[in-house]
Amino acid sequence: HHLFQDFLQAKLQEENPLIIRQVMLELAGYYREKQEWEKAHFIYENINEQAALISLVEESGTYFIRSGRIATLGNWLERLPASLVQQRPKIQSLAGAVLYTRGEVQAGIEALNLAEKALRLEQDIKPLAIPLVRRAAAYREMGDYARSLADAEEAIDLTRQHAGSVSRDVLAAAQRVKGLSLFRLGQTAEALEW
C-alpha cells in the first residue's frame, strides 16, 4: 500500500539519511547506464549532487541536441550555477548550441568562443572539434560563410588527426556544415563532395 510505503520511506530517511542518499546515487547510476537521462537528472537534482549533475549534462547533452530536445537541455543548463557553466568548456559548448538553435545566434557564438578558447588554453585538442562544428553551424545561420568554412575545415582536420578518439558523427557534422556553406556560396559542384 502507498501509505505504508511512504511511512517506511519517511522513517528510513529520518533514521538513516545516508542510506537513502546512497540508494538514490546507485539508482541514478543505473538510470545513467540505461541512458534514461531524465530519471538520473531528477535524482541528482533532488539530492543536490552538483558534480554528478554536471557530468550527466556533459555526457547526455549531445544526445539531446541530436534528438531535437533543445528545450530540455536548455532547461537543465539554466538550472546549473552560472559559475560552473563558465568553468566547463563542454557545458559552454552545449549552452552555445542551445542558444543559437533558439535563435540567439550571436549569444551562442559567444558561448562557443569561450568553449573553444578554454579548450585551446587547456591544450585539450581532441574535444575541440565539437564546439568548432557547432560554431560553424551558427556562423552559417548568420550568413558568415567564410568563418563557417574555416571552423568546419579545422574540425575536419582535427577529427582526421584524432580518428580513434573523436566520433565519426563529429566528422560527418563538420562535412555537412562545410557542404552547406559551400552551397550557400554558390559553389555547388564543390559542395556535392561534402
Side-chain angles (χ1 to χ4, degrees):
H1 197 273
H2 290 291
L3 290 175
F4 187 64
Q5 180 182 0
D6 291 344
F7 168 76
L8 288 176
Q9 285 178 345
K11 192 75 170 159
L12 184 58
Q13 178 69 34
E14 180 183 304
E15 291 178 4
N16 200 338
L18 294 177
I19 289 177
I20 293 288
R21 181 174 179 77
Q22 187 58 40
V23 168
M24 296 304 281
L25 284 170
E26 289 177 22
L27 182 59
Y30 170 80
Y31 285 141
R32 206 168 168 168
E33 285 177 24
K34 298 293 182 188
Q35 296 184 346
E36 294 187 37
W37 309 117
E38 291 94 338
K39 291 178 181 178
H41 185 275
F42 179 79
I43 291 170
Y44 288 143
E45 199 169 52
N46 279 334
I47 61 174
N48 198 26
E49 187 62 44
Q50 287 293 320
L53 199 55
I54 288 170
S55 173
L56 175 78
V57 173
E58 287 177 337
E59 181 182 347
S60 65
T62 299
Y63 164 80
F64 282 95
I65 291 169
R66 287 186 185 148
S67 48
R69 302 196 45 216
I70 298 295
T72 300
L73 179 59
N75 185 316
W76 289 4
L77 290 168
E78 288 166 4
R79 294 189 335 231
L80 292 175
S83 61
L84 289 175
V85 172
Q86 294 171 356
Q87 297 171 5
R88 307 291 290 239
K90 289 179 183 177
I91 297 288
Q92 289 172 328
S93 176
L94 292 168
V98 167
L99 287 166
Y100 88 74
T101 303
R102 287 180 173 172
E104 300 174 54
V105 180
Q106 191 57 49
I109 289 172
E110 290 169 12
L112 291 163
N113 287 342
L114 292 172
E116 179 229 3
K117 184 179 179 180
L119 289 169
R120 287 188 195 278
L121 284 174
E122 294 173 5
Q123 297 182 346
D124 199 357
I125 299 303
K126 292 177 188 175
L128 178 60
I130 295 169
L132 287 173
V133 170
R134 291 175 179 158
R135 191 172 67 185
Y139 279 137
R140 184 180 50 81
E141 289 288 319
M142 283 183 58
D144 191 341
Y145 302 117
R147 285 184 177 171
S148 177
L149 283 171
D151 279 353
E153 287 171 359
E154 184 177 359
I156 290 167
D157 289 343
L158 286 170
T159 55
R160 287 184 175 154
Q161 289 172 18
H162 303 285
S165 59
V166 178
S167 168
R168 289 190 303 166
D169 292 343
V170 176
L171 176 60
Q175 291 172 330
R176 179 179 181 275
V177 172
K178 182 175 181 177
L180 290 170
S181 294
L182 289 168
F183 179 77
R184 293 286 185 174
L185 288 169
Q187 299 174 14
T188 54
E190 206 175 319
L192 288 174
E193 296 174 26
W194 299 98

